[in-house]
Amino acid sequence: MADVTDPDDGLDIAPVPAPHDDAEPPVPDDLASTPQAADEGAGPDRPAERRTEPDEREEDDRGYDDLRRVHQLVNNNFYGVVDATGAAFGIGAAPSPGLAPGTIEPEEAGRALRFYLPPQPCFDEALDKLRENSLVVLTGQDGSGRGAGSLALLREILGDAARLRSLSPANALADLAASRDLKPGQGYVILDYVGELPDRAVQAYEIGRLSEELRRKGSYLVVTAADTTRRRLALRDHCVPWHAPDPVELFQHCREMLQHAPLAPDTERELLERVGEQRRPGDVVAAAVVLPREGAEQALDTLRDRYRERVQEWFRQQPSADDLLPLAALAFLEGVPERTFEKECAALAAHVRNWEQSGERPVAEADDETGTPPGGAVARQSRARWKERAVGLVTTEHRPGQGRDAGRSERRLVFTSSRVRELVITELHDLYGYELWYPLRQWLGDLALRGDLDTRTEVARGVALLARHALVEVDENLLKVWSEGLTNQRVTAALTLQFMCDVEHLAPQALNIVVSWTDNSGQGRAVTAAMALTGRLGSLYRLDALNGLWSLAQRGERIAFSARRSLVLLLQTAEHDPEQVLFILRYVRTVIARTGPGSRERSIALRTTVQLLETVGLETAEPVTAALLRTVPDSARHLGSLWAHVLHSGNRSRAVGALCRTLVQLRDDPSVTGAVRELGEAMRSAMTGRQWAALCHHLSIALKHPDYAIPGARQLAQVLLGSLRGRAPAGPRRTTAHHISTAPFPTAQGGRSK
């Protein structure tokens, strides 16, 4: 996958497909909000009539408001660390190199392979296949070190100084040979390859052609995938079953590199016994690194996993339904107010009772209290019961609420560690069957439909944890249903996919699910896909997300509206990530440069661009453009180009308004003078002389508007315009300037189409 570059640098943007059947011609700005008839059926509150587009637009607005609030609260989760334990031989929770498509620098790969021990004989077998065919597929269990193995194989052939490239797991292997992605003498990896979409099945002929093209260019590709890939005929001859190195050998290898002091015989024996029980190389390396720094006891604690022991011991006691159901409910509702939890816990119990009354086997044998009359149930001290029910697993905390309740704390039930929540869901999945999970799924469906935002966010977190063990079940029984449901359900599905990206091997699966929803799966799923391609998912798979959203922006107005809102949200959430900000801006510049004058695609691109220029921050009313000019070097050049494009179009009034708001926001900040001057230079270089003169004249008029006539704004406008007056046009351009409208400027902010 190529990095996004300037318009003349050959950015490989996915071609815009032919308009779908639901596509509509572009709507002039002043008519963009005119109600249009919608294609969806009647909603639950209108059984006798078809829903209209304003109804759907209002629902989608509410959904994006929910997403925005969640991104405000958990932005650090989406852009922070990823649980990479065991995926590569590194330490801590830093993501493995190659998880996000892009360049893997030699230093980055070297850190990941610091303690690497090649597993035999699979390493040598894979190396022979790679040298022979320039292509190999490493198959095996998650956490077996396939990712580290892919880097080690490429460095063995290309050398430790090689800059490797990670390609998107959504890449079609059959198309790579004909793409511009493959460069001579390059090493490529595709981590956690999830397979082709149904209409792009990998054929043996295409894989052979890919191998031949790699050999011709002297390049190499290593793919990591699950065990099921070995059953695919087209790839079978290229697969090597992968396994982790012997844990004791790896531990001793690390000890030799770290050179720590000898251990007492009994301590060493216990340590090696614990090491031998480990499945993931990352856990072994973590203990080896802790040993010289913090001692043998701490290393043993690292290996013992006390939380796992506590959770397993609790389930070995075969808890009654009175104890099991509250803990199962908490796994999906951790941290909600206690009163909310109790209400929803009672709802889960009702689902279980209904299921048991249908004649099926009960979830668990009830204790004596279950048979007590209703009065006895009321008399029980259920809150105090937690002190006995889950000792060491659950505790209570007082936490403030959100919004208007931020100043008032409320008691909430939480697990003693985030790991406990994951382990509880693991045990529930491993020990209980349909008799528990059927009513539990019904209950989760109710919460996704009627729960408040905090409740639905926790449901999404819990379902994402469940997907680690039951991805197919989660996809078919929950995500597919929610993705074409009502707004609350769609938001819950989108958030679930976001939280799935916190685990490396699930992130490609989340991307694959979203991509499948964009392909002729109906309006509801397309809107959900647009919502999901923001946040963590859009941050990891930048080009895939932008290509997907740009494709959706070509479709019918409802889907296009959602795609534009998602692009705005991507920019808002990337505000503190300069690399991603520049990636988005370069992408939009490239799209505009590749559209023909007067074309439908150009009209859509310009409408989207002006929304990006108008948007404000996630947590403030400050224009994002002002924040970028202040904090992101080189953003002025790209923003200037985008502003020049929209000032030439029917969006010119909104573009001038966005420019005025940016100048007003920056008026008292002398540090941005250079960036504003660079912005003006970029705009000037993209305009003809008459266009530039018209901008100077009408910007001067606009700054007299009461919203913008603020001391300091006009002086900053002179920095933008003054030093550049009289300069000749940068090149042969059309000399007829569009007249810039001086109609009242829109005051609504944030990225909604007006």
Side-chain angles (χ1 to χ4, degrees), residues 271-335:
L271 195 56
L272 292 179
E273 287 177 0
R274 289 285 184 175
V275 166
E277 298 169 356
Q278 304 306 308
R279 182 181 65 86
R280 303 189 300 183
D283 295 339
V284 177
V285 175
V289 171
V290 166
L291 180 60
R293 289 193 318 215
E294 303 180 40
E297 191 59 34
Q298 188 61 42
L300 283 169
D301 282 345
T302 302
L303 294 169
R304 285 185 184 122
D305 196 348
R306 295 188 186 277
Y307 288 122
R308 181 183 295 277
E309 293 177 355
R310 290 177 188 173
V311 172
Q312 290 180 340
E313 175 60 28
W314 192 88
F315 279 96
R316 274 196 293 268
Q317 297 173 6
Q318 298 186 353
S320 67
D322 276 358
D323 288 340
L324 174 66
L325 294 183
L327 195 70
L330 189 62
F332 295 93
L333 290 179
E334 182 186 15

Side-chain angles (χ1 to χ4, degrees), residues 661-681:
R661 287 191 291 275
T662 300
L663 295 174
V664 167
Q665 186 67 42
L666 297 174
R667 68 190 185 281
D668 295 327
D669 189 350
S671 67
V672 300
T673 301
V676 171
R677 182 175 291 111
E678 185 181 354
L679 177 68
E681 291 173 352

Side-chain angles (χ1 to χ4, degrees), residues 38 40 51-60 523 558:
E40 283 196 348
R51 297 169 65 192
T52 60
E53 184 171 339
D55 298 322
E56 296 167 342
R57 180 67 58 84
E58 184 176 346
E59 283 192 10
D60 294 342
Q523 275 194 359
R558 182 189 175 198

Side-chain angles (χ1 to χ4, degrees), residues 148-482:
S150 66
L151 303 182
L153 288 167
L154 290 172
R155 283 163 65 97
E156 182 71 21
I157 291 178
L158 297 173
D160 292 348
R163 297 173 79 244
L164 309 178
R165 296 283 297 167
S166 172
L167 303 179
S168 167
N171 266 312
L173 293 182
D175 290 345
L176 274 178
S179 74
R180 295 185 299 168
D181 289 343
L182 299 181
K183 309 297 182 185
Q186 180 73 60
Y188 297 97
V189 296
I190 299 179
L191 299 184
D192 296 306
Y193 176 65
V194 292
E196 311 296 323
L197 294 176
D199 60 341
R200 302 176 69 81
V202 175
Q203 300 297 323
Y205 169 78
E206 298 293 345
I207 294 301
R209 192 161 69 95
L210 171 60
S211 177
E212 178 60 34
E213 183 67 13
L214 287 165
R215 282 197 298 269
R216 187 179 68 82
K217 291 184 175 180
S219 297
Y220 299 88
L221 171 63
V222 181
V223 180
T224 71
D227 282 323
T228 55
T229 302
R230 278 185 288 169
R231 295 197 291 267
R232 304 182 64 189
L233 295 178
L235 292 172
R236 185 175 58 188
D237 293 339
H238 298 277
C239 290
V240 173
W242 198 259
H243 60 78
D246 179 85
V248 175
E249 291 182 9
L250 175 59
F251 186 74
Q252 299 290 22
H253 170 71
C254 295
R255 290 183 66 187
E256 292 172 4
M257 294 184 65
L258 293 168
Q259 298 180 347
H260 52 74
L263 299 172
D266 290 345
T267 302
E268 183 169 19
R269 187 181 309 109
E270 182 181 0
L271 195 56
L272 292 179
E273 287 177 0
R274 289 285 184 175
V275 166
E277 298 169 356
Q278 304 306 308
R279 182 181 65 86
R280 303 189 300 183
D283 295 339
V284 177
V285 175
V289 171
V290 166
L291 180 60
R293 289 193 318 215
E294 303 180 40
E297 191 59 34
Q298 188 61 42
L300 283 169
D301 282 345
T302 302
L303 294 169
R304 285 185 184 122
D305 196 348
R306 295 188 186 277
Y307 288 122
R308 181 183 295 277
E309 293 177 355
R310 290 177 188 173
V311 172
Q312 290 180 340
E313 175 60 28
W314 192 88
F315 279 96
R316 274 196 293 268
Q317 297 173 6
Q318 298 186 353
S320 67
D322 276 358
D323 288 340
L324 174 66
L325 294 183
L327 195 70
L330 189 62
F332 295 93
L333 290 179
E334 182 186 15
V336 302
E338 190 171 37
R339 55 193 171 91
T340 302
F341 173 76
E342 289 173 339
K343 180 184 69 172
E344 302 303 349
C345 194
L348 174 58
H351 277 286
V352 171
R353 283 196 302 271
N354 292 338
W355 170 243
E356 291 176 347
Q357 289 170 2
S358 68
E360 299 291 339
R361 183 166 59 88
V363 170
E365 292 299 327
D367 57 21
D368 293 338
E369 294 181 359
T370 305
T372 59
V378 172
R380 289 204 306 267
Q381 297 177 348
S382 58
R383 291 186 176 179
R385 179 72 182 274
W386 281 104
K387 297 178 181 178
E388 305 170 0
R389 174 179 285 140
V391 178
L393 302 183
V394 179
T395 186
T396 58
E397 291 182 0
H398 278 78
R399 295 180 183 175
Q402 304 296 332
R404 289 178 298 176
D405 294 331
R408 298 189 296 175
S409 63
E410 192 167 4
R411 198 165 79 158
R412 301 162 190 263
L413 288 168
V414 296
F415 290 106
T416 52
S417 165
S418 59
R419 179 144 174 77
V420 172
R421 184 179 189 178
E422 173 192 347
L423 292 169
V424 166
I425 289 179
T426 300
E427 294 298 311
L428 289 172
H429 175 263
D430 290 346
L431 300 177
Y432 296 89
Y434 194 68
E435 65 277 2
L436 172 63
W437 283 104
Y438 176 78
L440 198 56
R441 285 200 305 266
Q442 299 296 108
W443 176 70
L444 291 172
D446 284 350
L447 293 178
L449 177 62
R450 60 178 175 79
D452 59 27
L453 181 58
D454 289 345
T455 296
R456 288 182 281 120
T457 301
E458 289 307 314
V459 167
R461 290 186 197 274
V463 173
L465 291 174
L466 177 60
R468 302 184 184 194
H469 313 284
L471 177 62
V472 174
E473 179 181 342
V474 165
D475 183 21
E476 293 183 356
N477 294 328
L478 299 176
L479 294 180
K480 283 185 178 178
V481 176
W482 297 347

Side-chain angles (χ1 to χ4, degrees), residues 112-134:
L113 298 175
R114 179 186 173 192
F115 300 105
Y116 189 71
L117 180 66
Q120 296 296 350
C122 59
F123 185 89
D124 287 345
E125 181 184 351
L127 189 60
D128 290 342
K129 279 187 178 290
L130 187 60
R131 283 176 170 149
E132 179 183 357
N133 302 318
S134 295

